[in-house]
Amino acid sequence: MKQELLIHQETIKSRIKELARRISSDYSGKEPVFVGILNGSVFFFADIAREMTIPLKIDFIRAASYGSGNSSSGSVRLTKGLEIPVKDKPVILVEDIVDTGLTLSKILDIITEQSPESIKICALIDKQERRKKDITIDYCGFQVEEGFLVGYGLDYNEQFRCLNDIYKLHFEK
Ligand code: IMP
């Protein structure tokens, strides 16, 4: 298995600063609930939350998805739900990578049931090739067409999560 450097940590840092500026300006005067989707978003979440110039509340959710191999099936349940009430509050969901979009679309349905004022999505990576659900990513770090990515929170069977840069994995046949 080979790793090809795709996004350098300095590029990630400066993109996060830009996103945080935009979000802080869009939510000026508000205090959104910033919701990290565990585990993949942890480093992205921690870095972008600290670049924001508005007050935030933070919470986390964790979803279990029943899929096969490297693809999710869309059968999703929360193994950890929100602990902060979000009724009538603006919510920003923070995700590592959107692939088929099935996981995020189920999470959106579940959170919508709690009647927040609004829900927006902030995703580090928008991976477009296998998209099955039409999802609007309001704040997107990087768009990639395809490939399996690791590092900066992204894992392959729990490996590579703690790398500082993002790599594309090449599987040998
Ligand atoms: P989706 O439901 O197909 O959009 O899957 C989203 C989830 O699958 C992400 O939150 C990741 O946990 C995982 N995932 C999808 N693509 C990758 C990847 O390239 N690297 C690591 N995890 C991925």
Side-chain angles (χ1 to χ4, degrees), residues 72 95-103 127 147-149 154-155:
S72 64
E95 176 64 307
D96 53 358
I97 184 164
V98 185
D99 184 13
T100 62
L102 291 168
T103 309
K127 189 167 77 175
F148 200 83
L149 312 189
L154 296 165
D155 76 306

Side-chain angles (χ1 to χ4, degrees), residues 37-41 65 70-74 76 95-105 125 127 130-132 135 144 146-151 153-156 161 167:
I37 304 173
L38 297 170
N39 291 340
S41 73
S65 148
N70 291 336
S71 184
S72 64
S73 64
V76 172
E95 176 64 307
D96 53 358
I97 184 164
V98 185
D99 184 13
T100 62
L102 291 168
T103 309
L104 203 48
S105 109
I125 294 164
K127 189 167 77 175
R130 302 200 294 185
R131 189 64 40 82
K132 289 188 182 148
I135 281 188
V144 301
E146 44 84 46
F148 200 83
L149 312 189
V150 294
L154 296 165
D155 76 306
Y156 173 68
R161 265 199 216 281
Y167 297 82

